[in-house]
Amino acid sequence: MPDELSREELLEMYCQMVLIRRLEEKAAELYTAGLIGGFLHLYIGEEAIAVGACKALRPDDHLLTAYRDHGWAIARGLDPKRVMAELLGKATGVSGGKGGSMHLASAEHNYWGGHAIVGGHLPLATGIGLAIRYKEEDKAVLCVFGEGSTNIGYFHESLNLAAVWKLPVVFLVENNQYGMGTEVSRASARSDIFEKGCSYDVASAPVDGQDVLAVHRAMREALEYARQHGPYLMEAKTYRYSGHSMGDPERYRSKAEIERWRAHDPIERLASVLISHALADQAALEKIHQDVEQEMEGIVRFAQESPEPDDAALYEHVYVNPIPER
Amino acid sequence: MAYITMREAISQALREEMYRDERVFIMGEEVGVWGGTYAVTRGFLDEFGEKRVRDTPIAEGVIVGAAIGAAIAGLRPVAELMTINFAFLAMDQIVNHAAKLHYMFNGQIRCPLVIRTVGGGGRQLAATHSQSPDVVFAHFPGLKVVAPGTPADAKGLLKSAIRDEDPVFFIEHATLYQLRGEVPDDEEYLVPIGVSDVKREGKDVTIVSYSKMLQTSLQAAEQLSKEGIEAEVIDLRTLRPLDMLPVVQSVQKTNRLVVVEEGWRSYGVGAEIAARVMERAFDYLDAPVRRVAQLEVPLPYNRRLEQMALPQVEDVVRAVYDVLYRK
Ligand SMILES: Cc1ncc(C[n+]2csc(CCOP(=O)(O)OP(=O)(O)O)c2C)c(N)n1
């Protein structure tokens, strides 16, 4: 059996990756139809990272991500219906319609967002790591961000402090080669991002981000390392098939380049593993796609039929303890 | 009651809260071995140990950000920023994170943290180390901004801030640490956030102020009293949320208002108070509201020039004469 995962687990991971991709494609449609506002950053092409990494997380571990977060939310176990409802700004959305696509969260899943200030959540993850050590808990934090976020001060401040205090944080870089339209080598003095760990004596390694099993294996070890010793920097090499966000004119890359990456598609790669190990046949996989298709209908229906937040929501949660101004 | 300095009062508040609640801890530059740049946490490292008194690197972004993270995960951090001028390096964490997370995630995230910092000019530290940008922080819904002007308020407000469920930006004034006053020993002595306080009663004119300028205003009131002018002095204590009720009531009685702040006049506390008084008590005003504030220059090093730019007792007295139409 590949990677000590059962057949059921592997099929479940396959199913999640397909669901994430379909949800993204559907979101793009709804965005174009004007039902989703603001920014929309799709995760298509990068699904293996969220699914592989979340499989390695324990329920009581913590997760923080950047704004390219739909896949992460689903992989972490949030209800896809409520994820889609959030994209549509509905009251039933995971953030009550007040966060939108970039700000998904679920306290119940220890998923503390969805953050859209580049690099801004790395210090938060560091602080959650501090709380774990403070309370002497056996937990870890997974903090996810793009390679473009490794040139900002927060990355360096956070890795340094996490290393000084030996905090149980795995910093996971999704190196999808571009920060918006800027290719990694045009913005970062080192293109192999994992090498940056050595500045702070932080253990680090690259992983093939298009291989869900490799990500899972590496993440399991990284989390264990973090719990025992301290911070870990992992770089998942990956690629986003879609633009940075909806409406990206994509002047910075060629169609041929996208096709080269598509040849290593993470979903197809898992499919061939499943087939070559005789864990599923074409028909079984086909069935998964059909089931996801049906589930998607329910997801979209739920989101569309859900109510808008009521007017009172506007003033809710500005403070935990609001003090009336007299 | 004990007659102690503002420094001792703040220190006492921190110590009491750390004994009361295991989750409370301090982090910041030089808070431990050094004992705090302003000696507020002297002795704390020995008393509480490294786990709860944490020296950090000079990295304001991650100091505030990690404090937010720790708060999200259930602790009660008191993060110290050496001075308010350095808070600008943590501005993103303060305004884009601490002030927003509870709202943006629909109440799922809480940030019960206190950011203690030190503001104010008058010590010849020149332009980058002398600012009073309190209103900048008060601009953001989601934050509570507190700036005490007496030792007792400093203790009671800091204790309330630590117990509060929301992020509180707590501004101490660098030149007030030696100020002495009566402070209750009571470990449950709490001053509510968001309540202005009448520090001196009077019938002729209302002076609204806070922090260091409260002391300046009280001195001006003493001087005016000798001339038969009785000023009512109101201490805002909290800039957000702003408690206007005592101000409005006072203006209804005195019909004249002077606002005194150490920061720059433009877009300042005086502007805000004047606008709100106009909205709520326009008909009671017998003279235009006067603002006393810092002149619109970065503060210079030279002592004489620096003092020229900062509001002085005489400036307050003159503003009071103005609203009374006296020469
Ligand atoms: C501090 C900050 N600066 C700029 C932006 C605008 N911005 C949003 S995403 C982005 C690119 C980030 O690239 P990367 O971290 O590699 O993540 P990716 O989008 O590739 O997943 C930029 C510049 C921002 N949100 N925050």
Side-chain angles (χ1 to χ4, degrees), chain A residues 225-251:
Chain A
Y225 179 94
R227 285 182 230 282
Q228 306 259 333
H229 306 290
Y232 191 96
L233 176 66
M234 185 184 296
E235 177 192 4
K237 310 266 189 193
T238 186
Y239 199 77
R240 61 168 159 73
Y241 298 171
S242 316
H244 165 73
S245 56
M246 297 297 287
D248 174 355
E250 296 192 54
R251 290 199 191 89

PDB file of all heavy atoms in Angstrom, chain A residues 225-251:
ATOM      1  N   TYR A 225       8.731  16.533  13.607  1.00  0.00           N
ATOM      2  CA  TYR A 225       9.956  17.277  13.919  1.00  0.00           C
ATOM      3  C   TYR A 225       9.609  18.550  14.696  1.00  0.00           C
ATOM      4  O   TYR A 225      10.236  18.872  15.704  1.00  0.00           O
ATOM      5  CB  TYR A 225      10.692  17.628  12.623  1.00  0.00           C
ATOM      6  CG  TYR A 225      11.954  18.427  12.860  1.00  0.00           C
ATOM      7  CD1 TYR A 225      13.193  17.798  12.981  1.00  0.00           C
ATOM      8  CD2 TYR A 225      11.906  19.821  12.981  1.00  0.00           C
ATOM      9  CE1 TYR A 225      14.343  18.532  13.232  1.00  0.00           C
ATOM     10  CE2 TYR A 225      13.047  20.560  13.232  1.00  0.00           C
ATOM     11  CZ  TYR A 225      14.265  19.911  13.349  1.00  0.00           C
ATOM     12  OH  TYR A 225      15.395  20.641  13.598  1.00  0.00           O
ATOM     13  N   ALA A 226       8.595  19.258  14.229  1.00  0.00           N
ATOM     14  CA  ALA A 226       8.222  20.525  14.861  1.00  0.00           C
ATOM     15  C   ALA A 226       7.773  20.302  16.304  1.00  0.00           C
ATOM     16  O   ALA A 226       8.174  21.038  17.213  1.00  0.00           O
ATOM     17  CB  ALA A 226       7.115  21.207  14.057  1.00  0.00           C
ATOM     18  N   ARG A 227       6.963  19.280  16.504  1.00  0.00           N
ATOM     19  CA  ARG A 227       6.517  18.986  17.880  1.00  0.00           C
ATOM     20  C   ARG A 227       7.699  18.726  18.791  1.00  0.00           C
ATOM     21  O   ARG A 227       7.746  19.186  19.928  1.00  0.00           O
ATOM     22  CB  ARG A 227       5.642  17.724  17.891  1.00  0.00           C
ATOM     23  CG  ARG A 227       4.249  17.909  17.367  1.00  0.00           C
ATOM     24  CD  ARG A 227       3.483  16.577  17.482  1.00  0.00           C
ATOM     25  NE  ARG A 227       2.838  16.232  16.220  1.00  0.00           N
ATOM     26  CZ  ARG A 227       1.705  16.784  15.800  1.00  0.00           C
ATOM     27  NH1 ARG A 227       1.089  17.661  16.532  1.00  0.00           N
ATOM     28  NH2 ARG A 227       1.193  16.441  14.631  1.00  0.00           N
ATOM     29  N   GLN A 228       8.658  17.973  18.296  1.00  0.00           N
ATOM     30  CA  GLN A 228       9.802  17.561  19.120  1.00  0.00           C
ATOM     31  C   GLN A 228      10.842  18.663  19.273  1.00  0.00           C
ATOM     32  O   GLN A 228      11.342  18.890  20.364  1.00  0.00           O
ATOM     33  CB  GLN A 228      10.527  16.379  18.456  1.00  0.00           C
ATOM     34  CG  GLN A 228       9.641  15.214  18.137  1.00  0.00           C
ATOM     35  CD  GLN A 228       9.803  14.120  19.163  1.00  0.00           C
ATOM     36  OE1 GLN A 228      10.844  14.003  19.767  1.00  0.00           O
ATOM     37  NE2 GLN A 228       8.748  13.345  19.374  1.00  0.00           N
ATOM     38  N   HIS A 229      11.177  19.328  18.156  1.00  0.00           N
ATOM     39  CA  HIS A 229      12.364  20.181  18.158  1.00  0.00           C
ATOM     40  C   HIS A 229      12.069  21.659  17.963  1.00  0.00           C
ATOM     41  O   HIS A 229      12.635  22.493  18.660  1.00  0.00           O
ATOM     42  CB  HIS A 229      13.341  19.721  17.071  1.00  0.00           C
ATOM     43  CG  HIS A 229      13.697  18.271  17.171  1.00  0.00           C
ATOM     44  ND1 HIS A 229      14.473  17.769  18.187  1.00  0.00           N
ATOM     45  CD2 HIS A 229      13.354  17.224  16.384  1.00  0.00           C
ATOM     46  CE1 HIS A 229      14.595  16.448  18.025  1.00  0.00           C
ATOM     47  NE2 HIS A 229      13.932  16.099  16.946  1.00  0.00           N
ATOM     48  N   GLY A 230      11.257  21.984  16.964  1.00  0.00           N
ATOM     49  CA  GLY A 230      11.038  23.397  16.672  1.00  0.00           C
ATOM     50  C   GLY A 230      10.681  23.598  15.219  1.00  0.00           C
ATOM     51  O   GLY A 230      10.291  22.647  14.531  1.00  0.00           O
ATOM     52  N   PRO A 231      10.823  24.811  14.721  1.00  0.00           N
ATOM     53  CA  PRO A 231      10.273  25.138  13.404  1.00  0.00           C
ATOM     54  C   PRO A 231      10.909  24.347  12.257  1.00  0.00           C
ATOM     55  O   PRO A 231      12.059  23.932  12.338  1.00  0.00           O
ATOM     56  CB  PRO A 231      10.585  26.628  13.253  1.00  0.00           C
ATOM     57  CG  PRO A 231      11.707  26.888  14.195  1.00  0.00           C
ATOM     58  CD  PRO A 231      11.508  25.946  15.342  1.00  0.00           C
ATOM     59  N   TYR A 232      10.115  24.205  11.213  1.00  0.00           N
ATOM     60  CA  TYR A 232      10.546  23.487  10.019  1.00  0.00           C
ATOM     61  C   TYR A 232      10.044  24.265   8.813  1.00  0.00           C
ATOM     62  O   TYR A 232       8.918  24.765   8.817  1.00  0.00           O
ATOM     63  CB  TYR A 232       9.941  22.077  10.031  1.00  0.00           C
ATOM     64  CG  TYR A 232      10.530  21.165   8.983  1.00  0.00           C
ATOM     65  CD1 TYR A 232      11.561  20.286   9.301  1.00  0.00           C
ATOM     66  CD2 TYR A 232      10.050  21.190   7.674  1.00  0.00           C
ATOM     67  CE1 TYR A 232      12.113  19.454   8.338  1.00  0.00           C
ATOM     68  CE2 TYR A 232      10.596  20.367   6.698  1.00  0.00           C
ATOM     69  CZ  TYR A 232      11.625  19.495   7.043  1.00  0.00           C
ATOM     70  OH  TYR A 232      12.169  18.686   6.088  1.00  0.00           O
ATOM     71  N   LEU A 233      10.908  24.379   7.806  1.00  0.00           N
ATOM     72  CA  LEU A 233      10.526  25.086   6.580  1.00  0.00           C
ATOM     73  C   LEU A 233      10.423  24.088   5.438  1.00  0.00           C
ATOM     74  O   LEU A 233      11.422  23.453   5.086  1.00  0.00           O
ATOM     75  CB  LEU A 233      11.561  26.167   6.249  1.00  0.00           C
ATOM     76  CG  LEU A 233      11.353  26.924   4.935  1.00  0.00           C
ATOM     77  CD1 LEU A 233      10.081  27.763   4.962  1.00  0.00           C
ATOM     78  CD2 LEU A 233      12.569  27.825   4.641  1.00  0.00           C
ATOM     79  N   MET A 234       9.242  23.956   4.877  1.00  0.00           N
ATOM     80  CA  MET A 234       9.063  23.045   3.754  1.00  0.00           C
ATOM     81  C   MET A 234       8.678  23.841   2.513  1.00  0.00           C
ATOM     82  O   MET A 234       7.836  24.738   2.585  1.00  0.00           O
ATOM     83  CB  MET A 234       7.965  22.025   4.069  1.00  0.00           C
ATOM     84  CG  MET A 234       7.822  20.972   2.976  1.00  0.00           C
ATOM     85  SD  MET A 234       6.444  19.846   3.295  1.00  0.00           S
ATOM     86  CE  MET A 234       7.002  19.083   4.790  1.00  0.00           C
ATOM     87  N   GLU A 235       9.301  23.495   1.404  1.00  0.00           N
ATOM     88  CA  GLU A 235       8.965  24.162   0.146  1.00  0.00           C
ATOM     89  C   GLU A 235       8.326  23.160  -0.801  1.00  0.00           C
ATOM     90  O   GLU A 235       8.977  22.218  -1.249  1.00  0.00           O
ATOM     91  CB  GLU A 235      10.224  24.745  -0.521  1.00  0.00           C
ATOM     92  CG  GLU A 235       9.918  25.377  -1.876  1.00  0.00           C
ATOM     93  CD  GLU A 235      11.170  25.702  -2.692  1.00  0.00           C
ATOM     94  OE1 GLU A 235      12.294  25.370  -2.235  1.00  0.00           O
ATOM     95  OE2 GLU A 235      11.021  26.256  -3.786  1.00  0.00           O
ATOM     96  N   ALA A 236       7.065  23.357  -1.106  1.00  0.00           N
ATOM     97  CA  ALA A 236       6.387  22.502  -2.075  1.00  0.00           C
ATOM     98  C   ALA A 236       6.476  23.172  -3.441  1.00  0.00           C
ATOM     99  O   ALA A 236       5.956  24.266  -3.639  1.00  0.00           O
ATOM    100  CB  ALA A 236       4.934  22.293  -1.671  1.00  0.00           C
ATOM    101  N   LYS A 237       7.146  22.497  -4.363  1.00  0.00           N
ATOM    102  CA  LYS A 237       7.260  23.029  -5.728  1.00  0.00           C
ATOM    103  C   LYS A 237       5.955  22.721  -6.452  1.00  0.00           C
ATOM    104  O   LYS A 237       5.550  21.559  -6.534  1.00  0.00           O
ATOM    105  CB  LYS A 237       8.417  22.361  -6.464  1.00  0.00           C
ATOM    106  CG  LYS A 237       9.736  22.353  -5.698  1.00  0.00           C
ATOM    107  CD  LYS A 237      10.600  23.529  -6.061  1.00  0.00           C
ATOM    108  CE  LYS A 237      11.992  23.355  -5.437  1.00  0.00           C
ATOM    109  NZ  LYS A 237      12.783  24.583  -5.488  1.00  0.00           N
ATOM    110  N   THR A 238       5.342  23.756  -6.975  1.00  0.00           N
ATOM    111  CA  THR A 238       4.014  23.555  -7.562  1.00  0.00           C
ATOM    112  C   THR A 238       3.749  24.585  -8.645  1.00  0.00           C
ATOM    113  O   THR A 238       4.666  25.321  -9.056  1.00  0.00           O
ATOM    114  CB  THR A 238       2.935  23.604  -6.445  1.00  0.00           C
ATOM    115  OG1 THR A 238       1.670  23.284  -6.996  1.00  0.00           O
ATOM    116  CG2 THR A 238       2.868  24.973  -5.789  1.00  0.00           C
ATOM    117  N   TYR A 239       2.516  24.630  -9.093  1.00  0.00           N
ATOM    118  CA  TYR A 239       2.159  25.531 -10.190  1.00  0.00           C
ATOM    119  C   TYR A 239       0.667  25.791 -10.160  1.00  0.00           C
ATOM    120  O   TYR A 239      -0.119  24.876  -9.932  1.00  0.00           O
ATOM    121  CB  TYR A 239       2.536  24.885 -11.530  1.00  0.00           C
ATOM    122  CG  TYR A 239       2.649  25.872 -12.668  1.00  0.00           C
ATOM    123  CD1 TYR A 239       3.768  26.689 -12.793  1.00  0.00           C
ATOM    124  CD2 TYR A 239       1.627  25.983 -13.608  1.00  0.00           C
ATOM    125  CE1 TYR A 239       3.867  27.602 -13.826  1.00  0.00           C
ATOM    126  CE2 TYR A 239       1.730  26.898 -14.655  1.00  0.00           C
ATOM    127  CZ  TYR A 239       2.857  27.706 -14.752  1.00  0.00           C
ATOM    128  OH  TYR A 239       2.953  28.597 -15.774  1.00  0.00           O
ATOM    129  N   ARG A 240       0.290  27.051 -10.359  1.00  0.00           N
ATOM    130  CA  ARG A 240      -1.156  27.300 -10.475  1.00  0.00           C
ATOM    131  C   ARG A 240      -1.511  27.410 -11.949  1.00  0.00           C
ATOM    132  O   ARG A 240      -0.869  28.134 -12.699  1.00  0.00           O
ATOM    133  CB  ARG A 240      -1.582  28.546  -9.700  1.00  0.00           C
ATOM    134  CG  ARG A 240      -0.964  29.843 -10.135  1.00  0.00           C
ATOM    135  CD  ARG A 240      -1.653  31.054  -9.516  1.00  0.00           C
ATOM    136  NE  ARG A 240      -0.777  32.212  -9.534  1.00  0.00           N
ATOM    137  CZ  ARG A 240      -0.464  32.917 -10.618  1.00  0.00           C
ATOM    138  NH1 ARG A 240      -0.957  32.589 -11.797  1.00  0.00           N
ATOM    139  NH2 ARG A 240       0.355  33.948 -10.533  1.00  0.00           N
ATOM    140  N   TYR A 241      -2.538  26.665 -12.325  1.00  0.00           N
ATOM    141  CA  TYR A 241      -2.935  26.670 -13.733  1.00  0.00           C
ATOM    142  C   TYR A 241      -3.675  27.952 -14.080  1.00  0.00           C
ATOM    143  O   TYR A 241      -3.581  28.451 -15.201  1.00  0.00           O
ATOM    144  CB  TYR A 241      -3.872  25.489 -14.038  1.00  0.00           C
ATOM    145  CG  TYR A 241      -3.282  24.106 -13.832  1.00  0.00           C
ATOM    146  CD1 TYR A 241      -4.109  22.983 -13.910  1.00  0.00           C
ATOM    147  CD2 TYR A 241      -1.919  23.911 -13.596  1.00  0.00           C
ATOM    148  CE1 TYR A 241      -3.610  21.699 -13.744  1.00  0.00           C
ATOM    149  CE2 TYR A 241      -1.411  22.628 -13.420  1.00  0.00           C
ATOM    150  CZ  TYR A 241      -2.260  21.529 -13.489  1.00  0.00           C
ATOM    151  OH  TYR A 241      -1.774  20.271 -13.329  1.00  0.00           O
ATOM    152  N   SER A 242      -4.438  28.467 -13.129  1.00  0.00           N
ATOM    153  CA  SER A 242      -5.244  29.658 -13.408  1.00  0.00           C
ATOM    154  C   SER A 242      -4.401  30.913 -13.190  1.00  0.00           C
ATOM    155  O   SER A 242      -3.286  30.838 -12.694  1.00  0.00           O
ATOM    156  CB  SER A 242      -6.446  29.717 -12.462  1.00  0.00           C
ATOM    157  OG  SER A 242      -7.043  28.459 -12.349  1.00  0.00           O
ATOM    158  N   GLY A 243      -4.992  32.049 -13.507  1.00  0.00           N
ATOM    159  CA  GLY A 243      -4.306  33.309 -13.244  1.00  0.00           C
ATOM    160  C   GLY A 243      -4.160  33.523 -11.743  1.00  0.00           C
ATOM    161  O   GLY A 243      -4.709  32.767 -10.938  1.00  0.00           O
ATOM    162  N   HIS A 244      -3.437  34.576 -11.379  1.00  0.00           N
ATOM    163  CA  HIS A 244      -3.269  34.873  -9.955  1.00  0.00           C
ATOM    164  C   HIS A 244      -4.637  35.021  -9.288  1.00  0.00           C
ATOM    165  O   HIS A 244      -4.900  34.462  -8.238  1.00  0.00           O
ATOM    166  CB  HIS A 244      -2.460  36.160  -9.781  1.00  0.00           C
ATOM    167  CG  HIS A 244      -2.542  36.711  -8.391  1.00  0.00           C
ATOM    168  ND1 HIS A 244      -1.893  36.107  -7.340  1.00  0.00           N
ATOM    169  CD2 HIS A 244      -3.208  37.765  -7.882  1.00  0.00           C
ATOM    170  CE1 HIS A 244      -2.166  36.789  -6.222  1.00  0.00           C
ATOM    171  NE2 HIS A 244      -2.957  37.794  -6.526  1.00  0.00           N
ATOM    172  N   SER A 245      -5.485  35.827  -9.932  1.00  0.00           N
ATOM    173  CA  SER A 245      -6.878  35.914  -9.500  1.00  0.00           C
ATOM    174  C   SER A 245      -7.699  36.082 -10.764  1.00  0.00           C
ATOM    175  O   SER A 245      -7.144  36.178 -11.859  1.00  0.00           O
ATOM    176  CB  SER A 245      -7.077  37.083  -8.539  1.00  0.00           C
ATOM    177  OG  SER A 245      -6.652  38.283  -9.137  1.00  0.00           O
ATOM    178  N   MET A 246      -9.004  36.119 -10.616  1.00  0.00           N
ATOM    179  CA  MET A 246      -9.840  36.257 -11.799  1.00  0.00           C
ATOM    180  C   MET A 246      -9.491  37.574 -12.510  1.00  0.00           C
ATOM    181  O   MET A 246      -9.300  38.599 -11.870  1.00  0.00           O
ATOM    182  CB  MET A 246     -11.311  36.246 -11.401  1.00  0.00           C
ATOM    183  CG  MET A 246     -11.768  34.938 -10.767  1.00  0.00           C
ATOM    184  SD  MET A 246     -11.642  33.524 -11.887  1.00  0.00           S
ATOM    185  CE  MET A 246     -13.019  33.897 -12.997  1.00  0.00           C
ATOM    186  N   GLY A 247      -9.412  37.499 -13.831  1.00  0.00           N
ATOM    187  CA  GLY A 247      -9.140  38.709 -14.589  1.00  0.00           C
ATOM    188  C   GLY A 247      -7.662  38.982 -14.813  1.00  0.00           C
ATOM    189  O   GLY A 247      -7.285  40.030 -15.314  1.00  0.00           O
ATOM    190  N   ASP A 248      -6.806  38.028 -14.441  1.00  0.00           N
ATOM    191  CA  ASP A 248      -5.368  38.165 -14.664  1.00  0.00           C
ATOM    192  C   ASP A 248      -5.091  38.019 -16.168  1.00  0.00           C
ATOM    193  O   ASP A 248      -5.413  36.992 -16.760  1.00  0.00           O
ATOM    194  CB  ASP A 248      -4.671  37.051 -13.859  1.00  0.00           C
ATOM    195  CG  ASP A 248      -3.172  36.971 -14.115  1.00  0.00           C
ATOM    196  OD1 ASP A 248      -2.670  37.707 -14.971  1.00  0.00           O
ATOM    197  OD2 ASP A 248      -2.528  36.155 -13.439  1.00  0.00           O
ATOM    198  N   PRO A 249      -4.504  39.032 -16.814  1.00  0.00           N
ATOM    199  CA  PRO A 249      -4.248  38.929 -18.265  1.00  0.00           C
ATOM    200  C   PRO A 249      -3.110  37.958 -18.613  1.00  0.00           C
ATOM    201  O   PRO A 249      -2.923  37.621 -19.775  1.00  0.00           O
ATOM    202  CB  PRO A 249      -3.882  40.360 -18.662  1.00  0.00           C
ATOM    203  CG  PRO A 249      -3.433  41.031 -17.404  1.00  0.00           C
ATOM    204  CD  PRO A 249      -4.127  40.343 -16.267  1.00  0.00           C
ATOM    205  N   GLU A 250      -2.377  37.506 -17.609  1.00  0.00           N
ATOM    206  CA  GLU A 250      -1.325  36.479 -17.780  1.00  0.00           C
ATOM    207  C   GLU A 250      -0.315  36.813 -18.875  1.00  0.00           C
ATOM    208  O   GLU A 250      -0.035  35.995 -19.754  1.00  0.00           O
ATOM    209  CB  GLU A 250      -1.967  35.100 -18.017  1.00  0.00           C
ATOM    210  CG  GLU A 250      -2.774  34.650 -16.815  1.00  0.00           C
ATOM    211  CD  GLU A 250      -3.175  33.187 -16.875  1.00  0.00           C
ATOM    212  OE1 GLU A 250      -2.262  32.355 -17.045  1.00  0.00           O
ATOM    213  OE2 GLU A 250      -4.376  32.901 -16.757  1.00  0.00           O
ATOM    214  N   ARG A 251       0.244  38.005 -18.789  1.00  0.00           N
ATOM    215  CA  ARG A 251       1.265  38.394 -19.769  1.00  0.00           C
ATOM    216  C   ARG A 251       2.641  37.844 -19.417  1.00  0.00           C
ATOM    217  O   ARG A 251       3.587  37.990 -20.167  1.00  0.00           O
ATOM    218  CB  ARG A 251       1.373  39.920 -19.809  1.00  0.00           C
ATOM    219  CG  ARG A 251       0.164  40.571 -20.427  1.00  0.00           C
ATOM    220  CD  ARG A 251       0.447  41.990 -20.893  1.00  0.00           C
ATOM    221  NE  ARG A 251      -0.828  42.615 -21.228  1.00  0.00           N
ATOM    222  CZ  ARG A 251      -1.563  43.275 -20.333  1.00  0.00           C
ATOM    223  NH1 ARG A 251      -1.116  43.442 -19.099  1.00  0.00           N
ATOM    224  NH2 ARG A 251      -2.720  43.790 -20.682  1.00  0.00           N
TER     225      ARG A 251
END
